[in-house]
Amino acid sequence: MKLKQAVTGIAALACMTTAAHAQSAGSFYVTTGWFHLAPQSNSEPLKVTSIGGSPTNITEANTGASLSSADTIGITAGYFVTDHIAAELVVGYPPSFDLEGSGSLAQFGKLGQAKQWSPTLLFKYYFNAPTAAFRPYLGIGVSRIWFTDEKITNSAFQANVLHGPTSVTTDSSWEPVFNAGFTYAFDQHWFAGFSVSYLPLSTTAKLSTAANTPVGTLNVQSETKIKLNPIVTYVNIGYRF
């Protein structure tokens, strides 16, 4: 009888331990790790939209730009709504992107830079049982994108193409996020993960130039639409409560 009770007790303890390992409904978790952002970028030609306050529609042929890749640290916080569905908030320290000239602007190299902010809300569907160590998932969500510290840093580009000191602003937007990845649990609390995300993202960069002209200094407005479409990878370590 005592042996039977002991076996029953061990079995019950094993079930409790297994349950503690589960990424199941009601579980909270946090992760931190490294983001690599790889824009698949290109841009439309630079278009002059206004000179001295008068509307224009002048396209500067064979001009373009692309963005460099960037790395940054990030954190996430998530909650399992069910055994298979989790909601997750993703934030990262804003990475700085370099704007590189293309076409006739390639000779100038780096034209400017900007920092990107993109807090994201994801909903993920996890496969396999909550007790499984390895759990792949698919996710979809939305990200709020905006840029700060936008500036032209290339004096030769400003002098020879824009013809004067120039300030830059960019659009903000809501964008969809498509996500896939997996987690691997080491024990009841610690796990590691990897994910890949894609954002179909574009923004319009608007330039305001105090241009030197034969009739004096005029305000020149120009713009270009830049497609970023970044592929974002995230390698992380996490803790489940």
Side-chain angles (χ1 to χ4, degrees), residues 115-130:
K115 291 182 178 179
Q116 178 192 310
W117 300 75
S118 53
T120 299
L121 178 63
L122 286 173
F123 294 93
K124 298 179 174 181
Y125 183 87
Y126 282 78
F127 300 92
N128 295 343

Side-chain angles (χ1 to χ4, degrees), residues 5 21 29 47 77 84 89 95 112 188 193 203 207 209 221:
Q5 289 176 339
H21 280 72
Y29 64 89
K47 181 185 294 184
H84 294 279
L89 178 64
Q188 63 182 1
T203 187
L207 288 71
T209 304
Q221 301 289 322

Side-chain angles (χ1 to χ4, degrees), residues 57-126:
N57 187 19
I58 303 171
T59 298
E60 301 287 351
N62 195 33
T63 57
S66 62
L67 269 71
S68 66
S69 60
D71 295 277
T72 191
I73 192 169
I75 59 173
T76 74
Y79 175 75
F80 274 88
V81 182
T82 72
D83 287 351
H84 294 279
I85 297 174
E88 182 176 288
L89 178 64
V90 184
V91 295
Y93 185 81
S96 181
F97 290 95
D98 292 338
L99 185 66
E100 307 282 348
S102 61
S104 64
L105 303 182
Q107 60 181 310
F108 297 104
K110 177 182 174 181
L111 306 179
Q113 62 188 42
K115 291 182 178 179
Q116 178 192 310
W117 300 75
S118 53
T120 299
L121 178 63
L122 286 173
F123 294 93
K124 298 179 174 181
Y125 183 87
Y126 282 78

Side-chain angles (χ1 to χ4, degrees), residues 124-159:
K124 298 179 174 181
Y125 183 87
Y126 282 78
F127 300 92
N128 295 343
T131 53
F134 176 74
R135 298 196 73 186
Y137 60 79
L138 293 175
I140 191 169
V142 64
S143 184
R144 179 62 175 175
I145 311 288
W146 73 93
F147 294 85
T148 60
D149 298 334
E150 309 102 313
K151 55 187 174 183
I152 300 297
T153 58
N154 191 304
S155 57
F157 170 63
Q158 287 192 91

Side-chain angles (χ1 to χ4, degrees), residues 151-208:
K151 55 187 174 183
I152 300 297
T153 58
N154 191 304
S155 57
F157 170 63
Q158 287 192 91
N160 298 315
V161 177
L162 301 175
H163 305 295
T166 300
S167 60
V168 185
T169 59
T170 51
D171 292 337
S172 59
S173 62
W174 291 94
E175 302 294 344
V177 181
F178 304 96
N179 176 255
F182 66 86
T183 60
Y184 185 85
F186 300 115
D187 57 31
Q188 63 182 1
H189 294 297
W190 292 98
F191 63 93
F194 174 79
S195 70
V196 179
S197 299
Y198 174 73
L199 290 78
L201 168 63
S202 63
T203 187
T204 298
K206 300 177 180 179
L207 288 71
S208 179

